[in-house]
Amino acid sequence: MVEIKHRETGATLETIAADSLVGADLRDMQLSGADLRGMDLSGANLTSSDLDGACLAGARLVDAILIGVHLKQADLSEADLTRARLGSEHPARSAMLNHANLAGARLAQADLRGVEIRYANLQGADLSHADLRGTDFHGSDLRSVKATSALFIRANLREADLSDADLRDCHLNDANLVRANLSQADLTSTTPEGFTVINLANLEGANLNGARLRGVLAQDTNFRHANLTNVDLTNASLGGSILHRADVTNADFSGVELASVTLEFANISKARNAQVPSYKQNLR
């Protein structure tokens, strides 16, 4: 028998007729505030359970099913959620992790489609190869995350902190990155022939100071009022993108075609290696 107790009161919330919680059926359970720290819930089915405020620090949730789970303000720091299923094609069925602590958590290959993770702490988390399509990270702390080859398509990263993030080979197509902090982030590739994609992304007012965007695909991307100081844009594809009033001081535009890029009021004269077409040179 396994007793699941409240993290503060010690009261028994549920009694499971099994020797462990590995592969356990925990669907639709009221486990708010549960103490599950360090426990092995690999393959467990927690669909639609209430785990608000629960402590799962260091817990093992590999291949667990967490669709529709409420994890508001839960502690999942250093938890292993490799290949865990939290998302759904229908956002209303996805998990909710607003204000949760996922610092150092392992979410590699996890399904987080449409999940709400607003104002959460994911500092140092591993999101490599995760499916984050439509995931809502508004205002979250994603500093130093490892997210190589992750799918952030249409994700909401508005005002999120992605400084020092490893975003190599990511797909951020149509992502909302308004006023996000991507300073020192790496948006290059792990291979010479690879690339990161940010086509149609909205980076208005974003901070990309010192970010690495060498070879990035950024077609029809919005960089209005963005801070692009010291950014490496070597061989980037910027066709149709807008740099209106962007700060490109010391940004490297080597090998970048600027013919179709909107440069009005960008301080392009302070950039490096920018080959501006003659008909654009008199534009402010």
Side-chain angles (χ1 to χ4, degrees):
M1 303 290 283
V2 179
E3 287 189 338
I4 301 176
K5 297 185 177 182
H6 194 276
R7 63 187 296 186
E8 295 178 353
T9 67
T12 300
L13 300 174
E14 291 284 350
T15 301
I16 310 301
D19 294 330
S20 76
L21 295 178
V22 175
D25 186 352
L26 305 174
R27 290 174 293 173
D28 295 300
M29 288 193 174
Q30 296 300 313
L31 298 171
S32 179
D35 186 357
L36 294 162
R37 72 190 75 191
M39 299 195 71
D40 192 349
L41 292 103
S42 299
N45 189 346
L46 294 114
T47 300
S48 300
S49 287
D50 182 358
L51 286 154
D52 283 349
C55 181
L56 293 116
R60 182 173 171 81
L61 291 146
V62 176
D63 295 313
I65 302 173
L66 297 152
I67 297 170
V69 172
H70 284 211
L71 285 155
K72 182 179 178 181
Q73 296 181 323
D75 184 357
L76 290 142
S77 57
E78 304 297 334
D80 189 350
L81 292 111
T82 303
R83 296 186 303 277
R85 293 170 55 195
L86 297 93
S88 170
E89 292 181 4
H90 307 286
R93 298 178 184 173
S94 298
M96 296 184 67
L97 292 97
N98 296 335
H99 299 278
N101 180 10
L102 290 138
R106 292 174 290 286
L107 292 144
Q109 301 178 60
D111 180 354
L112 290 104
R113 289 172 298 163
V115 170
E116 282 192 27
I117 320 181
R118 297 165 65 92
Y119 302 103
N121 178 10
L122 293 103
Q123 186 174 355
D126 185 355
L127 295 163
S128 302
H129 299 274
D131 191 343
L132 308 165
R133 287 175 288 174
T135 305
D136 188 354
F137 291 102
H138 188 157
S140 287
D141 183 351
L142 292 127
R143 286 175 290 168
S144 301
V145 296
K146 180 182 179 182
T148 52
S149 300
L151 295 178
F152 285 95
I153 298 169
R154 295 183 303 280
N156 181 16
L157 291 148
R158 187 183 183 97
E159 298 176 357
D161 190 347
L162 291 139
S163 53
D164 295 302
D166 184 351
L167 300 170
R168 290 174 297 169
D169 299 304
C170 278
H171 284 258
L172 289 132
N173 312 52
D174 205 18
N176 181 352
L177 288 147
V178 172
R179 293 193 296 277
N181 182 7
L182 291 123
S183 59
Q184 305 301 322
D186 190 350
L187 286 87
T188 59
S189 176
T190 57
T191 62
E193 66 277 7
F195 48 82
T196 296
V197 184
I198 58 173
N199 295 338
L200 299 168
N202 188 353
L203 287 129
E204 185 163 353
N207 178 14
L208 292 103
N209 181 27
R212 295 176 290 287
L213 279 79
R214 178 183 290 263
V216 73
L217 292 187
Q219 297 183 7
D220 299 310
T221 302
N222 180 11
F223 290 104
R224 286 185 178 91
H225 300 278
N227 179 1
L228 295 164
T229 57
N230 304 305
V231 171
D232 183 2
L233 285 156
T234 302
N235 296 325
S237 178
L238 300 178
S241 289
I242 301 172
L243 275 71
H244 181 83
R245 293 193 183 277
D247 186 348
V248 294
T249 302
N250 206 40
D252 191 349
F253 284 87
S254 298
V256 177
E257 174 60 61
L258 294 171
S260 65
V261 178
T262 299
L263 298 168
E264 280 82 0
F265 297 98
N267 54 343
I268 198 71
S269 63
K270 296 182 180 180
R272 292 183 291 130
N273 305 310
Q275 300 297 316
V276 182
S278 58
Y279 61 86
K280 284 178 173 278
Q281 290 177 357
N282 294 323
L283 294 177
R284 293 191 59 190

